Amino acid sequence: MKKKIGNQNVLYPMPVTIVGTLVNGKVNFLNVAHVGILNAGAPHLISLGMGKRHHSNIGIREKKTFSVNILSQNQIVEADYVGLVTGSTTDKSGVFETFFGELKTAPLIQNCPVSMECRLHDINELKTHDVFIGEIMATYAEDAVLTGGKVDLSKVKPLLFDMSSMKYWSLGQPVGDCWNVGKQYKKS
Ligand SMILES: Cc1cc2nc3c(=O)[nH]c(=O)nc-3n(C[C@H](O)[C@H](O)[C@H](O)COP(=O)(O)O)c2cc1C
């Protein structure tokens, strides 16, 4: 029998993302795992749940752009670091090599597998959090993580985040084809 364990959010693991912003002219990064995909088609909208006190929020409001970068497991130290210290007191601009894409004000990480640059679409202001909704305007991927022009997770080796264990996790193996394996269902 199942045991009731309160109202815990068990929607983990989540992908670890590193969000890049330009705050008062300075590049800043923070770790954001509470991300969402709002739809699968165009416009490609994603959400970031970010505590109101974060320094990065100032830059998103100011420039109306941000980047979302996926790091590999071998970048775990840098990923955690930008989630430990705030740009309001620590300069995090040199943690990653950066470049600017077509939006010009969303710093993207050069040395990571995949990056997306987003234009701010909307802000949902909650009591403690800003939910930033962004539209993905361009996506950049290292050649080494592509298979047939598509991002290959087995090559990206993304970091995953789990709140209950407070640990970073890695991805396992694929276990079935979506929109396909269900065809094997037989009514019992
Ligand atoms: C693994 C991990 C995941 C995090 N996820 C989030 C998140 O989803 N939302 C959030 O507001 N802060 C999150 N944080 C905390 C921020 O990254 C952290 O407070 C950061 O220092 C804020 O940086 P800033 O003040 O320079 O913007 C996370 C931190 C870590 C280490």
Side-chain angles (χ1 to χ4, degrees):
M1 209 179 68
K2 253 186 184 151
K3 194 173 160 186
K4 188 171 175 189
I5 57 167
N7 64 345
Q8 292 179 36
N9 183 350
V10 292
L11 209 56
Y12 294 95
M14 299 298 291
V16 169
T17 75
I18 304 300
V19 171
T21 56
L22 206 53
V23 189
N24 303 325
K26 182 168 270 186
V27 169
N28 194 51
F29 294 103
L30 88 163
N31 188 323
V32 180
H34 293 154
V35 294
I37 299 173
L38 301 192
N39 59 337
H44 297 281
L45 300 177
I46 58 174
S47 66
L48 310 174
M50 290 175 43
K52 275 191 182 292
R53 275 183 286 183
H54 294 328
H55 191 60
S56 305
N57 302 30
I58 300 168
I60 299 180
R61 280 200 164 81
E62 187 190 321
K63 298 294 181 193
K64 300 192 168 29
T65 60
F66 57 88
S67 74
V68 178
N69 307 269
I70 306 291
L71 302 192
S72 240
Q73 284 159 32
N74 61 4
Q75 297 172 299
I76 188 170
V77 173
E78 290 88 343
D80 201 56
Y81 176 71
V82 297
L84 278 171
V85 297
T86 174
S88 61
T89 52
T90 305
D91 179 1
K92 294 186 264 183
S93 63
V95 175
F96 303 104
E97 198 185 317
T98 54
F99 70 99
F100 287 91
E102 56 188 58
L103 297 178
K104 311 286 184 215
T105 53
L108 294 136
I109 299 177
Q110 186 72 263
N111 52 334
C112 80
V114 271
S115 306
M116 300 173 282
E117 55 175 339
C118 300
R119 177 174 286 144
L120 183 65
H121 180 85
D122 211 352
I123 307 175
N124 188 351
E125 292 210 36
L126 305 180
K127 209 168 175 189
T128 55
H129 280 67
D130 290 322
V131 180
F132 293 110
I133 298 175
E135 178 177 355
I136 302 164
M137 305 308 291
T139 304
Y140 304 85
E142 277 181 356
D143 236 356
V145 300
L146 297 176
T147 300
K150 288 186 176 175
V151 174
D152 185 333
L153 286 180
S154 67
K155 294 176 177 173
V156 173
K157 296 187 171 56
L159 286 164
L160 307 178
F161 168 71
D162 170 43
M163 186 64 105
S164 65
S165 61
M166 301 267 268
K167 294 213 182 296
Y168 294 103
W169 289 68
S170 65
L171 207 61
Q173 295 301 310
V175 293
D177 292 328
C178 305
W179 289 286
N180 192 306
V181 69
K183 294 172 192 166
Q184 295 168 23
Y185 176 76
K186 285 188 187 75
K187 218 172 172 180
S188 53

Short mmCIF file of all heavy atoms in Angstrom, two decimals, residues 16 28-35 49-51 53-57 79-88 92 129 161 168, ligand 1:
data_model
loop_
_atom_site.label_atom_id
_atom_site.label_comp_id
_atom_site.label_asym_id
_atom_site.label_seq_id
_atom_site.Cartn_x
_atom_site.Cartn_y
_atom_site.Cartn_z
N VAL A 16 19.68 20.42 -15.02
CA VAL A 16 20.38 21.59 -14.48
C VAL A 16 20.63 22.55 -15.65
O VAL A 16 21.15 22.15 -16.68
CB VAL A 16 21.74 21.16 -13.88
CG1 VAL A 16 22.60 22.37 -13.56
CG2 VAL A 16 21.51 20.31 -12.65
N ASN A 28 26.58 37.63 -15.97
CA ASN A 28 26.34 36.88 -14.74
C ASN A 28 25.68 35.54 -15.08
O ASN A 28 24.96 35.43 -16.08
CB ASN A 28 25.42 37.68 -13.80
CG ASN A 28 25.41 37.12 -12.40
OD1 ASN A 28 26.46 36.89 -11.80
ND2 ASN A 28 24.22 36.85 -11.86
N PHE A 29 25.97 34.54 -14.26
CA PHE A 29 25.37 33.21 -14.46
C PHE A 29 24.81 32.71 -13.13
O PHE A 29 25.38 32.99 -12.08
CB PHE A 29 26.42 32.20 -14.95
CG PHE A 29 26.95 32.50 -16.32
CD1 PHE A 29 28.21 33.07 -16.48
CD2 PHE A 29 26.20 32.23 -17.45
CE1 PHE A 29 28.71 33.37 -17.74
CE2 PHE A 29 26.68 32.51 -18.71
CZ PHE A 29 27.94 33.08 -18.87
N LEU A 30 23.71 31.96 -13.21
CA LEU A 30 23.23 31.25 -12.02
C LEU A 30 22.68 29.89 -12.46
O LEU A 30 22.38 29.68 -13.64
CB LEU A 30 22.16 32.05 -11.25
CG LEU A 30 20.68 31.90 -11.64
CD1 LEU A 30 19.80 32.41 -10.53
CD2 LEU A 30 20.39 32.63 -12.93
N ASN A 31 22.57 29.01 -11.48
CA ASN A 31 22.08 27.65 -11.69
C ASN A 31 20.56 27.65 -11.48
O ASN A 31 20.08 28.12 -10.44
CB ASN A 31 22.79 26.77 -10.63
CG ASN A 31 22.55 25.30 -10.81
OD1 ASN A 31 21.48 24.89 -11.18
ND2 ASN A 31 23.57 24.51 -10.50
N VAL A 32 19.81 27.21 -12.45
CA VAL A 32 18.34 27.14 -12.31
C VAL A 32 17.87 25.75 -12.74
O VAL A 32 17.98 25.37 -13.91
CB VAL A 32 17.63 28.21 -13.18
CG1 VAL A 32 16.11 28.11 -13.02
CG2 VAL A 32 18.08 29.61 -12.79
N ALA A 33 17.34 25.01 -11.77
CA ALA A 33 16.83 23.67 -12.10
C ALA A 33 15.31 23.65 -12.24
O ALA A 33 14.76 22.72 -12.82
CB ALA A 33 17.26 22.68 -11.01
N HIS A 34 14.67 24.69 -11.72
CA HIS A 34 13.20 24.71 -11.80
C HIS A 34 12.76 25.38 -13.09
O HIS A 34 12.37 26.55 -13.12
CB HIS A 34 12.62 25.39 -10.56
CG HIS A 34 12.87 24.55 -9.33
ND1 HIS A 34 12.95 25.07 -8.08
CD2 HIS A 34 13.07 23.22 -9.20
CE1 HIS A 34 13.19 24.09 -7.22
NE2 HIS A 34 13.27 22.96 -7.88
N VAL A 35 12.89 24.61 -14.13
CA VAL A 35 12.58 25.09 -15.48
C VAL A 35 11.38 24.32 -16.03
O VAL A 35 11.06 23.24 -15.54
CB VAL A 35 13.78 24.91 -16.43
CG1 VAL A 35 14.93 25.80 -16.01
CG2 VAL A 35 14.22 23.46 -16.50
N GLY A 49 11.76 29.37 -12.91
CA GLY A 49 11.26 29.79 -11.60
C GLY A 49 12.43 30.33 -10.79
O GLY A 49 13.27 29.56 -10.33
N MET A 50 12.51 31.65 -10.63
CA MET A 50 13.68 32.25 -9.99
C MET A 50 13.32 33.10 -8.79
O MET A 50 12.49 34.02 -8.90
CB MET A 50 14.46 33.09 -11.02
CG MET A 50 15.12 32.19 -12.05
SD MET A 50 15.96 33.04 -13.43
CE MET A 50 16.82 34.36 -12.68
N GLY A 51 13.93 32.80 -7.66
CA GLY A 51 13.72 33.57 -6.43
C GLY A 51 13.92 35.06 -6.70
O GLY A 51 14.85 35.44 -7.41
N ARG A 53 15.09 37.46 -5.06
CA ARG A 53 16.28 38.19 -4.60
C ARG A 53 17.51 37.96 -5.47
O ARG A 53 18.56 38.57 -5.25
CB ARG A 53 16.59 37.80 -3.15
CG ARG A 53 15.76 38.65 -2.18
CD ARG A 53 16.07 38.36 -0.76
NE ARG A 53 15.51 37.07 -0.36
CZ ARG A 53 15.58 36.58 0.87
NH1 ARG A 53 16.21 37.25 1.80
NH2 ARG A 53 15.03 35.43 1.17
N HIS A 54 17.40 37.07 -6.46
CA HIS A 54 18.59 36.79 -7.26
C HIS A 54 19.01 38.01 -8.08
O HIS A 54 18.17 38.73 -8.63
CB HIS A 54 18.34 35.61 -8.20
CG HIS A 54 18.15 34.31 -7.47
ND1 HIS A 54 18.77 34.03 -6.28
CD2 HIS A 54 17.40 33.23 -7.78
CE1 HIS A 54 18.41 32.81 -5.88
NE2 HIS A 54 17.57 32.31 -6.76
N HIS A 55 20.31 38.18 -8.17
CA HIS A 55 20.90 39.29 -8.93
C HIS A 55 20.50 39.20 -10.41
O HIS A 55 20.25 40.22 -11.06
CB HIS A 55 22.43 39.20 -8.77
CG HIS A 55 23.18 40.37 -9.26
ND1 HIS A 55 22.99 41.64 -8.76
CD2 HIS A 55 24.14 40.48 -10.23
CE1 HIS A 55 23.81 42.47 -9.39
NE2 HIS A 55 24.50 41.80 -10.30
N SER A 56 20.43 37.98 -10.92
CA SER A 56 20.15 37.76 -12.35
C SER A 56 18.82 38.36 -12.79
O SER A 56 18.67 38.77 -13.95
CB SER A 56 20.14 36.26 -12.64
OG SER A 56 21.34 35.66 -12.22
N ASN A 57 17.85 38.38 -11.87
CA ASN A 57 16.51 38.88 -12.24
C ASN A 57 16.57 40.33 -12.73
O ASN A 57 15.81 40.71 -13.62
CB ASN A 57 15.55 38.77 -11.04
CG ASN A 57 15.41 37.35 -10.53
OD1 ASN A 57 16.34 36.57 -10.64
ND2 ASN A 57 14.27 37.03 -9.96
N ALA A 79 29.08 24.44 -12.49
CA ALA A 79 27.61 24.51 -12.41
C ALA A 79 27.18 24.80 -10.98
O ALA A 79 26.33 25.66 -10.73
CB ALA A 79 26.99 23.19 -12.87
N ASP A 80 27.78 24.11 -10.03
CA ASP A 80 27.40 24.30 -8.63
C ASP A 80 27.86 25.66 -8.11
O ASP A 80 27.12 26.33 -7.38
CB ASP A 80 27.99 23.16 -7.78
CG ASP A 80 27.25 23.00 -6.47
OD1 ASP A 80 26.01 22.81 -6.51
OD2 ASP A 80 27.88 23.11 -5.41
N TYR A 81 29.05 26.06 -8.53
CA TYR A 81 29.61 27.33 -8.04
C TYR A 81 28.69 28.51 -8.36
O TYR A 81 28.42 29.34 -7.48
CB TYR A 81 31.01 27.56 -8.65
CG TYR A 81 31.61 28.89 -8.28
CD1 TYR A 81 32.06 29.13 -6.97
CD2 TYR A 81 31.71 29.92 -9.21
CE1 TYR A 81 32.58 30.37 -6.62
CE2 TYR A 81 32.23 31.16 -8.87
CZ TYR A 81 32.67 31.38 -7.57
OH TYR A 81 33.18 32.60 -7.23
N VAL A 82 28.20 28.57 -9.61
CA VAL A 82 27.36 29.73 -9.96
C VAL A 82 26.00 29.68 -9.28
O VAL A 82 25.23 30.65 -9.32
CB VAL A 82 27.22 29.93 -11.50
CG1 VAL A 82 28.57 30.21 -12.13
CG2 VAL A 82 26.52 28.75 -12.17
N GLY A 83 25.71 28.53 -8.62
CA GLY A 83 24.49 28.41 -7.83
C GLY A 83 24.74 28.63 -6.34
O GLY A 83 23.82 28.55 -5.54
N LEU A 84 26.00 28.84 -5.99
CA LEU A 84 26.37 29.02 -4.58
C LEU A 84 26.61 30.47 -4.21
O LEU A 84 26.41 30.88 -3.07
CB LEU A 84 27.67 28.25 -4.28
CG LEU A 84 27.58 26.76 -4.01
CD1 LEU A 84 28.99 26.16 -3.96
CD2 LEU A 84 26.87 26.51 -2.71
N VAL A 85 27.07 31.25 -5.17
CA VAL A 85 27.43 32.64 -4.88
C VAL A 85 26.61 33.58 -5.75
O VAL A 85 26.18 33.21 -6.84
CB VAL A 85 28.95 32.91 -5.11
CG1 VAL A 85 29.78 32.08 -4.17
CG2 VAL A 85 29.35 32.64 -6.55
N THR A 86 26.39 34.79 -5.25
CA THR A 86 25.56 35.74 -6.00
C THR A 86 26.41 36.79 -6.72
O THR A 86 27.43 37.24 -6.19
CB THR A 86 24.54 36.45 -5.08
OG1 THR A 86 23.87 37.45 -5.85
CG2 THR A 86 25.19 37.10 -3.87
N GLY A 87 25.91 37.14 -7.88
CA GLY A 87 26.58 38.17 -8.66
C GLY A 87 26.53 39.55 -8.03
O GLY A 87 27.23 40.46 -8.46
N SER A 88 25.71 39.70 -6.99
CA SER A 88 25.65 41.01 -6.34
C SER A 88 26.91 41.27 -5.51
O SER A 88 27.26 42.42 -5.24
CB SER A 88 24.40 41.15 -5.47
OG SER A 88 24.43 40.18 -4.46
N LYS A 92 30.99 36.66 -11.36
CA LYS A 92 30.97 35.31 -11.95
C LYS A 92 31.18 35.36 -13.46
O LYS A 92 31.01 34.36 -14.15
CB LYS A 92 29.61 34.63 -11.64
CG LYS A 92 29.37 34.33 -10.17
CD LYS A 92 28.10 33.51 -9.96
CE LYS A 92 26.92 34.36 -9.61
NZ LYS A 92 25.69 33.59 -9.32
N HIS A 129 8.79 34.39 -5.92
CA HIS A 129 9.50 34.05 -7.16
C HIS A 129 9.01 34.85 -8.36
O HIS A 129 7.85 35.24 -8.43
CB HIS A 129 9.32 32.55 -7.48
CG HIS A 129 10.22 31.67 -6.69
ND1 HIS A 129 10.11 31.52 -5.31
CD2 HIS A 129 11.28 30.91 -7.07
CE1 HIS A 129 11.06 30.70 -4.90
NE2 HIS A 129 11.78 30.31 -5.94
N PHE A 161 19.16 17.28 -11.57
CA PHE A 161 19.08 17.73 -10.18
C PHE A 161 17.92 17.08 -9.46
O PHE A 161 16.81 16.99 -10.00
CB PHE A 161 18.88 19.26 -10.18
CG PHE A 161 18.50 19.82 -8.83
CD1 PHE A 161 19.41 19.87 -7.80
CD2 PHE A 161 17.22 20.30 -8.62
CE1 PHE A 161 19.05 20.40 -6.56
CE2 PHE A 161 16.85 20.84 -7.39
CZ PHE A 161 17.77 20.89 -6.36
N TYR A 168 23.43 15.84 -7.63
CA TYR A 168 23.39 15.84 -9.09
C TYR A 168 23.39 14.38 -9.54
O TYR A 168 24.10 13.55 -8.97
CB TYR A 168 24.63 16.55 -9.66
CG TYR A 168 24.65 18.02 -9.34
CD1 TYR A 168 25.48 18.53 -8.34
CD2 TYR A 168 23.84 18.91 -10.03
CE1 TYR A 168 25.51 19.88 -8.05
CE2 TYR A 168 23.86 20.27 -9.75
CZ TYR A 168 24.70 20.74 -8.75
OH TYR A 168 24.71 22.09 -8.46
C1 LIG B 1 21.57 22.74 -8.08
C2 LIG B 1 21.00 24.12 -7.92
C3 LIG B 1 19.76 24.42 -8.46
C4 LIG B 1 19.20 25.68 -8.29
N1 LIG B 1 17.98 25.95 -8.84
C5 LIG B 1 17.42 27.15 -8.64
C6 LIG B 1 16.14 27.43 -9.21
O1 LIG B 1 15.54 26.62 -9.90
N2 LIG B 1 15.60 28.66 -8.94
C7 LIG B 1 16.24 29.60 -8.19
O2 LIG B 1 15.70 30.68 -7.98
N3 LIG B 1 17.48 29.37 -7.68
C8 LIG B 1 18.07 28.18 -7.89
N4 LIG B 1 19.31 27.93 -7.38
C9 LIG B 1 19.98 28.96 -6.59
C10 LIG B 1 20.71 30.05 -7.41
O3 LIG B 1 21.42 29.48 -8.51
C11 LIG B 1 21.68 30.80 -6.50
O4 LIG B 1 21.00 31.40 -5.43
C12 LIG B 1 22.58 31.80 -7.21
O5 LIG B 1 23.65 32.08 -6.38
C13 LIG B 1 21.89 33.11 -7.58
O6 LIG B 1 22.79 33.86 -8.32
P1 LIG B 1 22.60 35.42 -8.66
O7 LIG B 1 22.23 36.12 -7.39
O8 LIG B 1 23.96 35.83 -9.17
O9 LIG B 1 21.54 35.54 -9.70
C14 LIG B 1 19.91 26.68 -7.57
C15 LIG B 1 21.18 26.39 -7.05
C16 LIG B 1 21.72 25.13 -7.22
C17 LIG B 1 23.09 24.83 -6.66
#
